Amino acid sequence: MPNPLRAKSGGRMVLTVPLIVFMDDVSGNISKQWNKHHVIYMSNAALPREMLEKEFCVRFVSSSPHATPMELMCGFKESIVAAASDGIITWDCKYNDEVMLVPYGLFDAGDNPMQAEVCSHGGLKCNYFCRTCKVGGTTVEKKSDNGYLEIFKCGELRTPEGTKMDILKQIELSKLSGGTEKVKNAVSLTGTRDAATTHIVSHLLELGKRLRKRQAGKPIMSEEDVRKQLEQEFEDMLHGSPLEDHINPLLGMPGVNIHQDTPTEILHTILLGVVKYFWGQTAWILDKGHLLDTFEARLESINKDGLNSPTLGANYICRFKGSLIGKHFKSLAQVMPYLIYDLVPRTVLNGWTVIGKLVVLLWHTAIENTELYLVRLFSLCTLLD
């Protein structure tokens, strides 16, 4: 039986186009405090890395100071699904012929808070803090010896179907008596918090409180009547559309497992996370020991030929040690062991040695042997534990 795409394309060559989707909150002004809006950009992942880095290969998709990220993503999903279903006929200059393009979402890029939102996850402050798996536990559990060790192991993987079930359960809990606490506990136990249905849950909780509130001179409304009114209000909020249309649209996007397709953003996770705070503690040790001048002199004189940064700016780094940005931490992570070998405790030096190796591995632009790479990466992460 012939492939359905042959009939759809009219005999033309069919090419798939993997898309990298990026969404974040930005500002038209210097500070995000003013004129904050959300944007979606898109790149063709089939392009060589050298081309992906160029500005003209990044396409603007949508922007709004009023629409929420999930509302923007809903429109994006509809466009991509429609384009994938119908196909896009265009001219291919390489083959000198018409071809049909079938786009699909490869992964969604963004910082940790935005990726948590597109995964309908509560973020890093949840008991179950990972948007990819269910690792975690209560504070007491994580502080125990076994609980702490379990944090560094992969838990049960999250699935779009499981997340959708958690969201539906939270909506049902919002209709019950004491719903506020029930929903809060459900979020704490699962780590699931859907930004797309937050207004529905909040409205039902507030309405339920008003209906159950005792008022002088009026009879108390029975729980059955309260439930009926809440169900009616819920139906009115859906405007006749199915509930799935009001849930995170990426949970039902064909070919996308949003929990697996949001790769870790290493700038904030590593450079502005692990490296930043380790640098803060190291700078405190140096400052307390009156060794910061020695460190600055060594940093100024170190050979920088092997770095992709023309200068480390020793005076700036030491003067504004609490206000550094990603590029500073990326360079510092590679040279710190050579600067502090006799200035800090051995444990701190070992920490910087492991961090330096980790940064080099994470910023690989090409991985030739994936299995060997993963073994080295896992061994370094184990040392960091």
Side-chain angles (χ1 to χ4, degrees), residues 104-125:
Y104 69 94
L106 181 64
F107 64 80
D108 287 72
D111 57 19
N112 288 320
M114 184 56 68
Q115 288 186 325
E117 184 167 344
V118 300
C119 290
S120 294
H121 185 259
L124 296 175
K125 294 183 179 181

Side-chain angles (χ1 to χ4, degrees), residues 17-165:
V17 183
L19 301 176
I20 300 174
V21 184
F22 173 81
M23 181 168 61
D24 199 6
D25 54 328
V26 296
S27 173
N29 297 8
I30 295 177
S31 171
K32 287 186 180 180
Q33 184 177 359
W34 310 106
N35 194 24
K36 179 180 177 180
H37 53 278
H38 292 93
V39 295
I40 298 180
Y41 292 95
M42 186 170 61
S43 301
N44 182 356
L47 292 173
R49 182 182 58 82
E50 294 79 5
M51 298 300 294
L52 274 175
E53 295 176 348
K54 299 185 182 298
E55 185 176 348
F56 58 79
C57 291
V58 180
R59 292 297 182 183
F60 171 79
V61 177
S62 179
S63 174
S64 175
H66 308 294
T68 65
M70 287 298 97
E71 289 173 335
L72 292 176
M73 197 57 77
C74 182
F76 169 79
K77 172 197 170 183
E78 292 175 355
S79 298
I80 296 301
V81 170
S85 176
D86 301 335
I88 302 172
I89 307 299
T90 187
W91 181 264
D92 192 302
C93 60
K94 178 181 178 180
Y95 298 107
N96 199 30
D97 198 3
E98 284 189 340
V99 297
M100 187 178 81
L101 304 180
V102 179
Y104 69 94
L106 181 64
F107 64 80
D108 287 72
D111 57 19
N112 288 320
M114 184 56 68
Q115 288 186 325
E117 184 167 344
V118 300
C119 290
S120 294
H121 185 259
L124 296 175
K125 294 183 179 181
C126 288
N127 285 337
Y128 296 87
F129 50 84
C130 181
R131 63 176 180 269
T132 302
C133 71
K134 298 180 180 180
V135 65
T138 64
T139 303
V140 175
E141 291 171 345
K142 287 183 286 189
K143 285 185 176 181
S144 66
D145 293 340
N146 291 333
Y148 180 77
L149 293 175
E150 290 297 319
I151 291 176
F152 301 98
K153 299 178 182 178
C154 182
E156 178 188 351
L157 294 179
R158 295 181 183 270
T159 63
E161 295 76 18
T163 301
K164 190 178 294 185
M165 293 297 296

Side-chain angles (χ1 to χ4, degrees), residues 166-177:
D166 291 338
I167 295 170
L168 296 177
K169 182 179 179 181
Q170 290 176 19
I171 293 176
E172 290 302 314
L173 290 175
S174 67
K175 304 173 187 177
L176 303 178
S177 178

